[in-house]
Amino acid sequence: MSDVVERTLSALPGLLGQHDLGAGPGGGPGRFSATSRLGGLIRSITALSSKHEEEKLIQQEQTNLKATVSAPTTTLRLMKECMVRLIYCEMLGYESSFGYIHAIKLAQQGNLLEKRVGYLAVSLFLHENHELLLLLVNTVVKDLQSTNLVEVCMALTVVSQIFPREMIPAVLPLIEDKLQHSKEIIRRKAVQALYKFYLIAPNQVQHIHDKFRKALCDRDVGVMAASLHVYLQMIKKNASGYKDLTESFVTILKQVVGGKLPIDFNYHSVPAPWLQIQLLRILGLLGKDDPRTSELMYGVLDESLRRAEINHNITYAILFECVQTIYTICPKSDLLEKAAKCIGKFVLSPKINLKYLGLKALTYVIQQDPNLALQHQMTIIECLDHPDPIIKRETLELLYRITNGQNVTVIVEKMLDYLRQSKEEYTIINLTGKIAELAEKYAPDNGWFIQTMNAVFSVGGDVMHPDIPNNFLRLLAEGFDDEKEDEQLRLYAVQSYLSLLEEEDTFYPQKFLQVMSWVLGEYSYLTNDGDPEVTITRLHRLLKQTFVTSETKAWIMTAITKMSSRLSCSKTVDKLIQEFSTSLDTCIRQYAFELKHLCENKELMKKLLPLDASCDEIMVDASLSFLDGFVAEGLSCGAAPYKPHHQRQEEKLSQEKALNFEPYGLSFTSSMSSSGFTGRQSPAGLSLGSDMSGNSAEIGQKETNCLKLDGVRKLWGKEGYLPKKENKTGKEDKTQPVPLDSILIGHVVDPPLMQSEQQVVSLSEEEKEKQQLASTLFVGLGSNSTMSLMGRADTINQKLKKKSKISESQNSEEASSFQNIATLPFSPLPDTTPNNKENFQGNEHLGLRKVSLSPSEVLETSVSFDTSQSLTEAGLDEKLSNCRLSTSSLFADRNIEVFQPPQNVPDIVASKAPLSLCLPEELAGHPHSEIVELCSCDILTVYSCKVWTDDCSLLVLFVANNSTSPLKTVNLVFESTEHFKIFESLSYHFPVIEAQSIERCQKCVQLEKVCTEGILSGSISYHLDTDTHLEFSLTFSLSDFIRPMKITTEDFGRLWLSFSNDVKQNINMSPSQGSLSIALNALKQKLKLHIVEIIGNEGIAACQLLPSIPCLLHCRTHARTLALWFRSSCSALPDSLLYQCQKMMAES
Amino acid sequence: MPHPRCGPEDTPEQAWPDFPEELPDLPPSPGREKPPWWDVPEAGPMNQMQFMLLFSRQGKLRLQKWYVPLSDKEKKKITRELVQTVLARKPKMCSFLEWRDLKIVYKRYASLYFCCAIEDQDNELITLEIIHRYVELLDKYFGSVCELDIIFNFEKAYFILDEFLLGGEVQETSKKNVLKAIEQADLLQEEAETPRSVLEEIGLT
């Protein structure tokens, strides 16, 4: 190809002359029509020599164009030409917004040709949020209804590129119709348009999932391929909902790979490669963590690998995707072997692109298969010094994944080398984060750790993630369990910073200076030899530097204050106070004054700034109850009661509304828990109502400003950092520099290495060096050394542990905040406040929700167990073989049930539960879902059932032990999601489940964040010989949390006026849905609404989102449309309910 | 939560307010805040192409197609940075490039660079082949294409691109079908002067 194109011009102006008449040698349509106005423009621009001249020319051109397009006499034909020139101007980087509106006009008024250019201009000029785009909607609607196929195609093309999200309902039915069009190009483009809608507004197209299925089965390959885009996205979001399609995808892929498609779809004699790759991706997502689904695709994956054998980029692209899929789904040994071989082919390829992909694939699979890295270690080493930075970068990424306690120094060194050379901000942020993570996790000793972090801070500067310095300081402050070790670390840090600050006029990033000053302020007392005066002098020197920002100065001042509390008197401090008491920076001046006053009262100062107390908590009375008297006094003197900001704003807003001229209703007290708000005007109410959160945060902020000094110590909470004990035990050995040769010998047990060992004799010096590097890099990898493999597993565990610890501590923090809101810690440092403020509000909010839930609503029952420990212990081994047998047959039975014919509702894919399962009496009376199987393995099966009681949604899980031996310590853990909240805790523990018996647990689920549908996932783990982990997920929809709200018409009226969030929509009704009462009754049943009253063709209904967020519906029928009007106090609720209604009406 | 306001106690005659006579078709009023899930597509990371740029060895932009909404300023900045970075690459270097959080895939054909931005987890090789297929299409359409074809007929190049890639995804992989669609539309060009009713009969057959 490039040979053909190689014949192009080298000197543009020279050639231009030859093409004056517009017919080039190739004879293509309209070649180089240099005679046109566009041609003229292009030619004159190419002839110019300076940017300035170009600007002048374009300006002139734009003036001309402006005059032409706005002249009423301009024909559409001329307009079309103008548009092309405008596109050209824009491409050169000259904004031509005056023409945008004319592009829309051209699309609207022009004949086919002009329209085509108009649409093109629109799609190039405007982005999908551009307001002018609204003007295009009518044109699109018109063209979609056109009888001319070309017009329809153009409209669909533009819709698939840019379309205003809020206008989707206007064209959606038209596009849905096009799915049945007789021409495949139209069907294909319609699917593509719906895909676009799915991306920008997934809720709008949820009801047409069936039609996507139809498109998937389309007889035309193009339409089918287009539908795969949609499926890929949907499966990405919720793989469990589409498992039933696996076999279809597998069949399609088989046909493609087998060459059953028309020859048109071949690309360099490879059948439909794009289609193959799309399908492989989908299969990967479907087979992930699902052995049964993975089973279905092994065959076709094997065939894909086998068929892709031509030496062409496209086959490598397919192979790469295959490898990724094979490593994503549940592993199968012979496939993995083949995939590994494939990766080898990539890695060893002389072609640099393939080598890069090989590294990428290695990075992807390395944690599953560390041996693979060992096999290719020499290539990896070579790539580390590759002239192309991207290869280097990918190699570092790979090394990052295989880092352990033994090779961390070498790898971090390599990463730092790269970091020092890179200028790109994104790379710096990314790499500093990784280095800091590795250093924290695997640091062999204190010195190395501090030095590495110093490098990170100096290079990462102020672009790195703020978590890095924060975590570092927290680590220093909280330390590990070993007090002595901690002190050494701190001492080392202090010493290293002192020596860094020794040199004058060296530039350090602000964040680094802040870290230094905090550490010096807290821990400089640890140095015995250093004179505090010297430290203070060095910090003082910094204060006078111009590059130091005032934020950093505040940190430095704080550090000096802390240090001076330990000195009886200091000349430098006195000088500093003098100097800055007149500073123009008010903040610094305030610090200086504070310092001055504190220095006058050393006793107080010592009390205020105790040694090493950064982790101690300070009690703060967030409710400010000590001010109650003051407030009461103010009120009695006639002061207006305090209104929080949002209330004031709301009132201001509502005053602008015409509706507010209506008389106000009385305060409404029905089933909703509004009691908290009635007391809002009393001063004591301050510590109760929802306004609390805003309130206290503001106060917290205030506190921050004046309490900065001692606040610094409080930055780090008590919990959250993992004391790395395991790591430390290994530390002693790791710090000893092991002779490289011994490592080399220790690791040549692996076959590929053995070879290289034999070759060592003939190796050159350079290669030896590489070998040595390899041995240091790959130490602790591979299966030959069980020790190090265990070590690897440990580190993974450790990672998990660290995470879980953090979340645990967060949980406990939350828990404590429930109990005692007043003890919430403040976080006073200026750069960390915003975050903490949010947390603060969040906690408070949770606390409130919790309060509104009466204890009786929280249900967590466990059935009592009759445990017989001795039985479990005895004959466990013996029973094991039996149980395997029995379960496998059980499994086989169930198998048949599971692969039922696909059904449209994804939830019902799971098989029905055995009859023996039933709900306890107290729940059986409530409406509930069917009991369905959630997940299962040989040993146990989990079934689920939703119970909708009046005041909460209960999730009842049954865990059946299929084996013949009792299961001990079965743990059920839900993943925390933003959408749902689970009471009381996310986990449940079954001490023991007897053989062949069923245990039950129930959890109350609440919708935390309004959404139409969400997935709640979790896992169950048990121990039998080994630890086994089983994952499950289930879908909750909004309607699970909606309950009828029984109120009177009067109450409805009052509430209606008080709500500001509303949504209106007209829905077409089918004839069968008929009258208002039929429609309302349908809504009542499906959405659990309470119909308040029906008058004529209008009706009102009410419901509430648990625990008590009301939503009102006012609807009216007119002709064949149903007008729905929702109002609620919650902004997201009306939209979501409307969507549910639309879906429901579409279904019925 | 409702915030009932205190006020005079005369309830209006009708319990709930009237519907406005003409219900607007569009629900959102400009001031109303949209729920968060509305704005953020929940589909997660998209594997689609972010943009495609064609520029010459001299760094002149010849074609630009953006599949993600960006401001003009951002577009210009990205173009400038990328053109610089790509032109600075040596010929034997990798065709892939990490840039911000994106992956850049580029290939040079004679004096013209074709450059696509994709997500990091996407398949670089297939993107390279997308570029190649586009070049093939251009070549077939123009008959041994050269840079000048694209300079002077860039709107055609756009039309071909739109038939091949739609919204950042490969729309049609059959070369024949893409060219058929383009030729059908071009056919109209020659008949541009003829009355419309005739045109409508032509359509796509």
Side-chain angles (χ1 to χ4, degrees):
Chain A
M1 170 57 44
S2 54
D3 307 334
V4 181
V5 192
E6 206 70 59
R7 287 192 272 113
T8 43
L9 70 170
S10 48
L12 198 52
L15 260 172
L16 275 167
Q18 297 169 21
H19 294 297
D20 263 356
L21 286 169
R31 208 166 167 109
F32 316 152
S33 45
T35 45
S36 70
R37 284 171 200 240
L38 174 74
L41 175 66
I42 293 171
R43 192 163 42 167
S44 38
I45 281 178
T46 350
L48 296 177
S49 54
S50 79
K51 184 81 187 161
H52 179 68
E53 283 175 318
E54 184 189 290
E55 266 168 36
K56 250 173 63 188
L57 186 80
I58 294 288
Q59 236 166 38
Q60 200 189 344
E61 176 75 16
Q62 279 185 323
T63 325
N64 288 344
L65 281 170
K66 209 177 204 164
T68 320
V69 291
S70 41
T73 50
T74 308
T75 61
L76 287 170
R77 199 169 174 187
L78 185 58
M79 191 71 98
K80 180 189 129 209
E81 211 186 315
C82 289
M83 276 308 134
V84 177
R85 275 188 285 161
L86 275 175
I87 296 175
Y88 189 74
C89 289
E90 284 250 324
M91 189 158 63
L92 289 178
Y94 300 91
E95 199 234 354
S96 314
S97 52
F98 62 87
Y100 295 176
I101 185 74
H102 298 284
I104 290 175
K105 264 200 226 157
L106 188 65
Q108 190 180 9
Q109 297 163 352
N111 64 24
L112 274 174
L113 258 187
E114 292 145 7
K115 195 183 262 302
R116 193 180 179 205
V117 173
Y119 272 136
L120 175 69
V122 168
S123 74
L124 290 172
F125 290 156
L126 307 182
H127 57 81
E128 64 191 17
N129 303 323
H130 202 289
E131 49 191 359
L132 279 181
L133 212 51
L134 291 179
L135 299 176
L136 192 74
V137 175
N138 260 333
T139 315
V140 169
V141 170
K142 207 181 82 202
D143 286 341
L144 282 176
Q145 289 164 318
S146 160
T147 49
N148 186 315
L149 290 178
V150 180
E151 275 181 348
V152 179
C153 271
M154 284 186 215
L156 284 172
T157 306
V158 83
V159 166
S160 323
Q161 298 188 68
I162 41 163
F163 200 73
R165 184 181 308 144
E166 59 271 29
M167 286 307 200
I168 290 176
V171 291
L172 193 56
L174 289 172
I175 291 179
E176 278 179 56
D177 283 348
K178 295 285 177 281
L179 289 173
Q180 272 100 46
H181 203 277
S182 57
K183 280 276 171 282
E184 55 273 0
I185 187 171
I186 303 281
R187 292 203 301 275
R188 190 182 76 214
K189 281 180 191 275
V191 174
Q192 208 96 22
L194 291 174
Y195 168 62
K196 172 76 180 173
F197 292 167
Y198 181 80
L199 289 181
I200 59 174
N203 292 324
Q204 302 260 357
V205 288
Q206 267 174 15
H207 64 284
I208 42 177
H209 282 191
D210 280 353
K211 294 188 177 161
F212 289 140
R213 272 178 197 247
K214 229 173 155 187
L216 183 67
C217 305
D218 200 283
R219 60 185 182 281
D220 181 69
V221 183
V223 183
M224 185 270 288
S227 77
L228 291 183
H229 295 311
V230 190
Y231 274 105
L232 182 64
Q233 296 299 337
M234 294 198 295
I235 289 170
K236 228 181 232 171
K237 211 165 101 183
N238 170 23
S240 58
Y242 301 91
K243 299 273 183 188
D244 57 325
L245 285 175
T246 312
E247 275 176 286
S248 315
F249 292 127
V250 168
T251 320
I252 298 173
L253 184 57
K254 255 187 203 142
Q255 289 176 7
V256 177
V257 173
K260 299 267 163 34
L261 294 194
I263 200 112
D264 289 346
F265 291 91
N266 279 12
Y267 176 82
H268 295 258
S269 50
V270 175
W274 281 276
L275 201 52
Q276 286 194 44
I277 282 171
Q278 200 80 348
L279 284 164
L280 286 168
R281 273 183 196 153
I282 289 176
L283 289 183
L285 291 171
L286 285 172
K288 198 176 180 210
D289 302 325
D290 184 346
R292 287 189 211 172
T293 315
S294 299
E295 194 91 24
L296 299 172
M297 50 187 82
Y298 290 145
V300 75
L301 286 176
D302 191 55
E303 198 175 339
S304 297
L305 277 181
R306 207 154 32 81
R307 294 260 188 170
E309 52 201 1
I310 318 160
N311 187 15
H312 188 277
N313 262 346
I314 197 74
T315 41
Y316 287 113
I318 295 171
L319 280 179
F320 179 77
E321 210 62 47
C322 263
V323 168
Q324 253 189 329
T325 305
I326 288 171
Y327 272 95
T328 311
I329 63 172
C330 288
K332 183 160 192 274
S333 56
D334 66 318
L335 273 182
L336 286 181
E337 219 171 274
K338 284 178 189 167
K341 244 187 228 158
C342 235
I343 294 179
K345 247 195 263 173
F346 277 97
V347 173
L348 296 174
S349 165
K351 286 185 185 160
I352 188 163
N353 289 347
L354 296 186
K355 198 181 267 303
Y356 172 80
L357 281 186
L359 289 171
K360 194 177 160 183
L362 265 185
T363 313
Y364 186 75
V365 307
I366 205 73
Q367 262 153 0
Q368 281 182 57
D369 194 355
N371 265 321
L372 218 49
L374 280 178
Q375 277 172 34
H376 299 296
Q377 47 181 326
M378 288 325 284
T379 322
I380 295 172
I381 299 292
E382 273 160 28
C383 291
L384 211 46
D385 291 320
H386 202 278
D388 193 345
I390 186 152
I391 299 279
K392 247 193 217 177
R393 180 81 183 78
E394 194 59 41
T395 317
L396 287 178
E397 186 69 37
L398 172 63
L399 291 179
Y400 162 72
R401 305 271 175 115
I402 58 164
T403 310
N404 55 34
Q406 286 147 290
N407 58 17
V408 65
T409 43
V410 195
I411 290 178
V412 166
E413 187 54 45
K414 292 278 168 198
M415 288 170 101
L416 281 172
D417 282 348
Y418 187 88
L419 184 63
R420 289 192 188 101
Q421 286 161 14
S422 52
K423 304 233 163 14
E424 222 254 308
E425 196 177 305
Y426 190 84
T427 318
I428 294 175
I429 295 172
N430 189 303
L431 265 182
T432 47
K434 281 180 176 152
I435 296 173
E437 187 198 326
L438 293 179
E440 227 175 85
K441 233 196 275 181
Y442 304 113
D445 60 76
N446 289 335
W448 182 88
F449 178 61
I450 298 293
Q451 291 299 341
T452 307
M453 289 312 284
N454 283 353
V456 167
F457 290 139
S458 358
V459 184
D462 297 316
V463 295
M464 71 185 163
H465 200 276
D467 276 357
I468 298 174
N470 288 355
N471 284 342
F472 175 72
L473 290 184
R474 186 211 293 246
L475 195 150
L476 276 186
E478 287 173 358
F480 316 108
D481 289 344
D482 184 355
E483 193 55 41
K484 212 173 146 200
E485 184 85 8
D486 295 344
E487 240 166 57
Q488 291 223 306
L489 182 64
R490 290 168 193 161
L491 180 63
Y492 195 94
V494 169
Q495 283 167 343
S496 118
Y497 297 155
L498 278 177
S499 65
L500 282 178
L501 289 179
E502 208 168 337
E503 286 172 56
E504 280 185 61
D505 298 328
T506 331
F507 173 83
Y508 294 110
Q510 306 299 323
K511 281 266 164 355
F512 194 15
L513 287 175
Q514 290 165 11
V515 168
M516 286 195 226
S517 42
W518 190 84
V519 172
L520 290 177
E522 282 290 320
Y523 300 115
S524 61
Y525 70 91
L526 289 171
T527 49
N528 302 319
D529 47 331
D531 182 4
E533 198 68 29
V534 178
T535 318
I536 293 181
T537 318
R538 281 180 197 161
L539 288 174
H540 178 220
R541 202 161 60 204
L542 278 178
L543 279 179
K544 289 185 285 189
Q545 299 283 4
T546 43
F547 68 82
V548 178
T549 63
S550 60
E551 189 198 341
T552 311
K553 280 181 185 161
W555 285 73
I556 297 172
M557 282 300 273
T558 314
I560 293 175
T561 313
K562 275 187 244 172
M563 272 186 281
S564 60
S565 74
R566 286 161 221 140
L567 290 173
S568 50
C569 67
S570 155
K571 270 186 207 151
T572 327
V573 173
D574 292 342
K575 205 173 100 194
L576 184 140
I577 291 173
Q578 273 222 314
E579 219 171 291
F580 290 101
S581 297
T582 53
S583 165
L584 285 177
D585 186 334
T586 45
C587 191
I588 297 294
R589 201 161 68 212
Q590 191 191 335
Y591 276 113
F593 275 114
E594 277 171 14
L595 182 56
K596 190 179 162 198
H597 286 292
L598 283 172
C599 280
E600 284 160 8
N601 188 351
K602 285 279 170 184
E603 277 310 302
L604 175 68
M605 193 172 191
K606 283 221 171 80
K607 229 172 102 191
L608 198 61
L609 304 161
L611 267 191
D612 191 23
S614 59
C615 298
D616 299 351
E617 284 190 29
I618 290 178
M619 302 289 264
V620 179
D621 183 2
S623 68
L624 301 183
S625 57
F626 53 88
L627 285 177
D628 281 358
F630 176 76
V631 174
E633 198 183 314
L635 283 173
S636 64
C637 292
Y642 174 74
K643 283 177 188 164
H645 179 69
H646 66 87
Q647 196 190 347
R648 284 195 306 259
Q649 211 168 24
E650 216 167 78
E651 282 174 15
K652 207 176 125 202
L653 270 177
S654 58
Q655 271 162 16
E656 287 161 11
K657 277 184 196 159
L659 272 178
N660 216 35
F661 291 114
E662 304 269 351
Y664 291 130
L666 265 183
S667 84
F668 172 72
T669 43
S670 76
S671 60
M672 290 168 302
S673 65
S674 52
S675 56
F677 300 92
T678 49
R680 78 162 41 195
Q681 309 215 329
S682 77
L686 262 177
S687 53
L688 254 172
S690 74
D691 30 358
M692 186 43 209
S693 53
N695 217 345
S696 52
E698 270 167 45
I699 294 157
Q701 190 77 356
K702 265 185 225 149
E703 292 263 357
T704 313
N705 288 339
C706 53
L707 274 181
K708 244 171 213 161
L709 293 180
D710 57 339
V712 175
R713 291 178 285 107
K714 277 222 48 288
L715 178 56
W716 318 110
K718 200 106 188 150
E719 261 108 352
Y721 191 73
L722 171 78
K724 291 182 289 181
K725 270 207 114 178
E726 299 126 286
N727 219 7
K728 245 190 285 163
T729 50
K731 243 180 213 173
E732 312 309 327
D733 330 357
K734 287 172 214 157
T735 45
Q736 315 293 317
V738 189
L740 295 176
D741 289 358
S742 73
I743 296 179
L744 190 66
I745 293 162
H747 278 267
V748 286
V749 202
D750 199 51
L753 258 179
M754 195 77 106
Q755 269 184 341
S756 56
E757 171 73 356
Q758 281 159 1
Q759 290 162 359
V760 154
V761 199
S762 59
L763 283 180
S764 66
E765 265 309 285
E766 193 194 339
E767 273 172 327
K768 241 183 208 159
E769 238 170 62
K770 278 183 186 166
Q771 286 273 359
Q772 288 196 337
L773 182 57
S775 65
T776 45
L777 278 177
F778 298 96
V779 66
L781 277 178
S783 59
N784 52 327
S785 50
T786 21
M787 273 305 289
S788 50
L789 197 72
M790 291 299 283
R792 184 69 204 153
D794 269 352
T795 57
I796 292 168
N797 278 345
Q798 198 181 337
K799 229 196 219 162
L800 292 172
K801 211 161 141 195
K802 184 172 172 185
K803 268 189 192 146
S804 67
K805 174 93 191 263
I806 287 168
S807 66
E808 189 187 294
S809 71
Q810 277 169 351
N811 283 347
S812 67
E813 260 167 45
E814 271 168 25
S816 67
S817 74
F818 295 147
Q819 286 153 9
N820 188 358
I821 295 171
T823 59
L824 276 171
F826 283 116
S827 58
L829 281 183
D831 58 333
T832 51
T833 24
N835 256 341
N836 281 291
K837 190 171 152 192
E838 266 171 41
N839 286 344
F840 197 107
Q841 281 175 314
N843 279 346
E844 205 92 1
H845 199 64
L846 288 173
L848 270 172
R849 267 172 185 264
K850 181 93 169 189
V851 170
S852 71
L853 205 93
S854 71
S856 67
E857 284 171 2
V858 184
L859 288 156
E860 193 174 309
T861 331
S862 63
V863 189
S864 62
F865 313 97
D866 43 338
T867 359
S868 49
Q869 285 280 339
S870 53
L871 222 151
T872 347
E873 304 289 334
L876 192 82
D877 288 355
E878 196 189 299
K879 275 183 180 173
L880 210 76
S881 51
N882 297 343
C883 96
R884 284 256 164 77
L885 260 176
S886 64
T887 44
S888 67
S889 60
L890 199 92
F891 185 78
D893 280 345
R894 198 154 293 142
N895 236 353
I896 299 164
E897 254 186 315
V898 173
F899 293 113
Q900 277 172 340
Q903 295 179 30
N904 282 338
V905 188
D907 280 7
I908 318 180
V909 181
S911 65
K912 296 246 173 71
L915 288 169
S916 62
L917 284 176
C918 62
L919 287 167
E921 275 181 8
E922 72 267 22
L923 295 179
H926 293 286
H928 58 82
S929 69
E930 260 182 308
I931 301 175
V932 290
E933 184 186 313
L934 208 53
C935 66
S936 91
C937 68
D938 300 13
I939 308 297
L940 56 76
T941 311
V942 183
Y943 302 95
S944 75
C945 174
K946 294 178 195 166
V947 181
W948 302 292
T949 69
D950 286 345
D951 44 20
C952 68
S953 277
L954 286 174
L955 174 63
V956 184
L957 293 181
F958 301 89
V959 182
N961 182 355
N962 306 332
S963 71
T964 49
S965 51
L967 284 175
K968 288 198 291 183
T969 57
V970 180
N971 277 311
L972 190 76
V973 183
F974 288 96
E975 264 171 45
S976 64
T977 67
E978 51 170 343
H979 291 304
F980 302 109
K981 189 167 169 59
I982 295 179
F983 296 100
E984 284 278 316
S985 72
L986 286 174
S987 60
Y988 190 79
H989 174 73
F990 301 93
V992 75
I993 300 180
E994 288 302 328
Q996 302 289 348
S997 76
I998 295 168
E999 293 294 340
R1000 171 169 61 88
C1001 106
Q1002 60 195 55
K1003 293 275 180 189
C1004 175
V1005 184
Q1006 213 171 72
L1007 193 64
E1008 186 82 346
K1009 193 179 144 202
V1010 177
C1011 60
T1012 54
E1013 209 171 79
I1015 293 165
L1016 183 65
S1017 49
S1019 62
I1020 189 162
S1021 60
Y1022 60 92
H1023 185 86
L1024 191 84
D1025 288 353
T1026 54
D1027 282 323
T1028 316
H1029 196 74
L1030 214 61
E1031 291 189 338
F1032 58 82
S1033 63
L1034 67 169
T1035 315
F1036 274 95
S1037 73
L1038 179 65
S1039 53
D1040 285 328
F1041 304 98
I1042 295 288
R1043 298 289 180 276
M1045 187 167 78
K1046 295 193 172 70
I1047 52 172
T1048 61
T1049 309
E1050 282 76 19
D1051 287 339
F1052 185 98
R1054 289 187 197 115
L1055 268 186
W1056 183 266
L1057 291 176
S1058 70
F1059 292 159
S1060 52
N1061 302 296
D1062 69 346
V1063 169
K1064 293 168 211 159
Q1065 180 83 307
N1066 289 334
I1067 301 181
N1068 288 327
M1069 289 195 297
S1070 64
S1072 66
Q1073 282 160 339
S1075 73
L1076 177 75
S1077 59
I1078 294 174
L1080 255 182
N1081 271 318
L1083 288 174
K1084 175 189 168 182
Q1085 273 170 10
K1086 291 270 171 58
L1087 288 178
K1088 306 187 196 107
L1089 300 175
H1090 168 69
I1091 299 176
V1092 181
E1093 199 174 354
I1094 297 178
I1095 302 173
N1097 63 346
E1098 293 186 46
I1100 51 173
C1103 65
Q1104 57 180 330
L1105 173 66
L1106 290 174
S1108 55
I1109 302 172
C1111 188
L1112 306 178
L1113 166 67
H1114 180 178
C1115 54
R1116 184 179 67 168
T1117 45
H1118 180 69
R1120 289 270 296 286
T1121 60
L1122 175 66
L1124 295 169
W1125 191 359
F1126 282 96
R1127 275 197 178 187
S1128 168
S1129 58
C1130 162
S1131 63
L1133 195 52
D1135 285 280
S1136 309
L1137 272 174
L1138 175 64
Y1139 164 66
Q1140 296 271 350
C1141 280
Q1142 283 174 316
K1143 194 172 139 193
M1144 202 213 83
M1145 297 297 281
E1147 277 166 8
S1148 62
Chain B
M1 272 297 121
H3 301 300
R5 280 178 286 266
C6 294
E9 168 57 312
D10 40 340
T11 329
E13 282 286 303
Q14 201 176 353
W16 67 84
D18 258 330
F19 259 109
E21 244 340 290
E22 267 304 301
L23 248 194
D25 276 330
L26 303 167
S29 55
R32 196 172 64 81
E33 221 179 284
K34 283 178 193 161
W37 50 262
W38 188 287
D39 280 307
V40 186
E42 291 166 27
M46 303 175 219
N47 268 342
Q48 64 172 15
M49 194 180 285
Q50 310 273 308
F51 55 83
M52 187 188 228
L53 300 176
L54 264 69
F55 50 88
S56 71
R57 216 166 34 182
Q58 290 79 29
K60 285 254 185 281
L61 194 60
R62 296 297 179 215
L63 208 73
Q64 54 173 346
K65 188 82 195 178
W66 301 84
Y67 298 111
V68 282
L70 290 171
S71 73
D72 282 348
K73 211 173 137 200
E74 278 172 291
K75 284 184 193 170
K76 266 187 210 166
K77 188 164 173 261
I78 292 174
T79 313
R80 199 173 48 237
E81 275 180 38
L82 262 187
V83 168
Q84 244 173 26
T85 322
V86 171
L87 288 179
R89 305 266 302 169
K90 297 190 186 76
K92 289 284 169 213
M93 279 185 165
C94 198
S95 301
F96 318 131
L97 187 59
E98 245 166 57
W99 186 79
R100 296 194 189 173
D101 55 341
L102 294 177
K103 209 41 104 32
I104 305 297
V105 177
Y106 72 92
K107 186 157 187 185
R108 187 182 148 180
Y109 288 89
S111 57
L112 211 52
Y113 282 89
F114 289 68
C115 174
C116 295
I118 55 171
E119 303 258 338
D120 186 48
Q121 64 269 32
D122 216 340
N123 188 328
E124 290 88 354
L125 270 185
I126 199 74
T127 313
L128 210 52
E129 294 315 298
I130 287 178
I131 293 177
H132 191 76
R133 172 43 65 99
Y134 181 46
V135 174
E136 279 180 0
L137 287 168
L138 290 172
D139 196 58
K140 187 102 187 192
Y141 179 80
F142 287 107
S144 69
V145 68
C146 72
E147 191 184 340
L148 279 186
D149 290 313
I150 294 167
I151 296 174
F152 285 101
N153 300 292
F154 61 84
E155 80 274 23
K156 300 264 168 50
Y158 277 122
F159 290 141
I160 296 172
L161 186 61
D162 282 350
E163 278 308 313
F164 174 46
L165 281 177
L166 196 51
E169 300 278 8
V170 174
Q171 179 195 183
E172 178 58 74
T173 60
S174 148
K175 193 158 44 170
K176 199 179 89 188
N177 286 357
V178 175
L179 292 173
K180 196 169 111 191
I182 293 291
E183 274 155 20
Q184 296 287 5
D186 275 348
L187 208 62
L188 304 166
Q189 184 141 21
E190 280 145 38
E191 317 261 343
E193 261 28 83
T194 52
R196 209 172 153 137
S197 56
V198 180
L199 281 180
E200 279 177 357
E201 280 172 25
I202 295 172
L204 269 180
T205 45

